[in-house]
Amino acid sequence: MTVSMGFYKVIKQWVIDSETGNITFQPFQADGNPYKSNVFLVGASPELNLEIAMNSLKLYVESLVDGKLFQETFAQELQSASREYKGSLNFVSWMKERYNENVVLTNVNCLSTENAQMLKQMKKQEHPLYKRGLQIFEEVLNEFAPEIVILQGSSAYKAFIEHFGDRLIDFVSTNDTVQQLEQKGVLAKFPLKNGKNINIIVSRSMSYFGKEGNSFGEFKATINRILQ
C-alpha cells in the first residue's frame, strides 16, 4: 500500500525517540493496510535490532506496510531470525491463505534493543524509553482496532498481563501454562478508547506452528469462531 502523508505522520511519531530524534521503535510490521487487519500477533519485544539512519526513515515507514520491501530492506538482519519469528511468518501466510487476512505483527513493548537483557535492565530502571515502548503498543491497538490480539508465548503473555491485566474485562487470573490457555479460547476482552473490546487469546510460541499449525487445532478453531 502507499503510505499517505497523514499515516506517515502517525507512524513517524511511533518510530522516533522524541528526545534524540533517532529511530528507536518498531511499532508494527504488516503486508498491507493495518486498518483493515482483524488479527494482531503479539510478541514480548522486537526481535530484529534494526539499525536505521534518519535518511532512511521514509523507506522504513513504507517497509512496515509492505512485506516484500521489508524482506528486501532487512535481508541481512532476517538471516539470523529465530524460529519464533519464522514461525510467525508461517502463521501470517496461513492466515492469508485461509482467511485472506493480513495479520499485523507487533509487541507488548515496541522498543528496539540489542538484546532481551538490555530491555530487562531498562525495565528495572523505569527508563522513559521502556515506558514509551509500552505506550506505543497501546496506541497501535487503539489506532487500528483489531478484532483479535494473539499473545504468543509465555513472555508476551506475562508482559501483557503485568502491564495491562488490570484493565481486562472478564479476565480470571490463572497459573495455567500458555498451552493450557491456548485451549481455552478467548481469555478476556481489552477495551479500546472508541468503546470496542478486543478479543484476547493466547498461543504457544509460533516456533511450534510449522507450515500449517497442525498441533494448533483448538487455537485455529477459536480464530475461526471469531472471524466467521
Side-chain angles (χ1 to χ4, degrees):
M1 66 171 287
T2 301
V3 178
S4 67
M5 184 56 68
F7 191 26
Y8 177 84
K9 291 179 180 178
V10 171
I11 299 176
K12 182 179 178 181
Q13 56 94 21
W14 282 340
V15 301
I16 292 177
D17 172 13
S18 60
E19 293 295 320
T20 64
N22 295 328
I23 298 173
T24 309
F25 303 97
Q26 296 177 41
F28 67 92
Q29 180 187 342
D31 187 22
N33 189 345
Y35 288 99
K36 296 181 179 181
S37 296
N38 292 307
V39 181
F40 277 40
L41 180 62
V42 180
S45 60
E47 175 187 322
L48 303 175
N49 183 30
L50 308 177
E51 295 186 5
I52 308 158
M54 278 303 295
N55 59 8
S56 298
L57 175 60
K58 190 173 188 300
L59 176 64
Y60 177 46
V61 169
E62 291 174 347
S63 76
L64 294 179
V65 295
D66 185 328
K68 183 178 179 181
L69 180 59
F70 189 93
Q71 297 283 332
E72 292 173 349
T73 304
F74 303 109
Q76 183 174 348
E77 291 87 345
L78 289 168
Q79 288 179 2
S80 59
S82 70
R83 282 183 58 205
E84 180 169 283
Y85 183 81
K86 292 174 181 177
S88 296
L89 296 183
N90 286 341
F91 173 70
V92 169
S93 297
W94 182 82
M95 286 291 294
K96 181 66 175 179
E97 181 178 347
R98 176 67 175 80
Y99 295 101
N100 194 30
E101 178 68 44
N102 291 320
V103 175
V104 173
L105 305 181
T106 186
N107 296 279
V108 177
N109 196 307
C110 297
L111 174 63
S112 178
T113 57
E114 292 182 8
N115 51 58
Q117 190 59 42
M118 180 179 291
L119 190 70
K120 289 179 181 179
Q121 186 62 36
M122 295 178 78
K123 177 185 177 181
K124 290 180 181 179
Q125 298 171 345
E126 298 185 344
H127 198 287
L129 289 179
Y130 182 88
K131 294 180 179 179
R132 177 58 181 153
L134 294 169
Q135 183 181 25
I136 290 171
F137 169 67
E138 186 175 354
E139 290 176 4
V140 165
L141 293 187
N142 277 290
E143 183 70 23
F144 300 135
E147 294 293 328
I148 303 171
V149 159
I150 302 166
L151 304 172
Q152 68 150 326
S154 58
S155 294
Y157 170 69
K158 290 176 182 177
F160 183 85
I161 296 303
E162 177 183 355
H163 296 292
F164 303 104
D166 61 345
R167 292 159 53 187
L168 293 177
I169 300 170
D170 298 330
F171 173 63
V172 178
S173 182
T174 174
N175 292 322
D176 289 348
T177 65
V178 290
Q179 187 165 5
Q180 292 169 325
L181 293 172
E182 180 183 297
Q183 298 171 357
K184 289 188 173 182
V186 176
L187 190 68
K189 304 276 188 176
F190 182 74
L192 299 180
K193 291 181 178 179
N194 65 2
K196 179 178 181 177
N197 295 325
I198 303 175
N199 296 287
I200 302 296
I201 63 178
V202 178
S203 78
R204 284 162 288 158
S205 165
M206 285 297 159
S207 60
Y208 301 108
F209 190 81
K211 291 292 185 181
E212 298 292 333
N214 293 330
S215 66
F216 283 67
E218 290 293 332
F219 168 76
K220 292 193 290 186
T222 298
I223 292 176
N224 190 66
R225 285 195 297 272
I226 298 172
L227 294 183
Q228 293 287 10

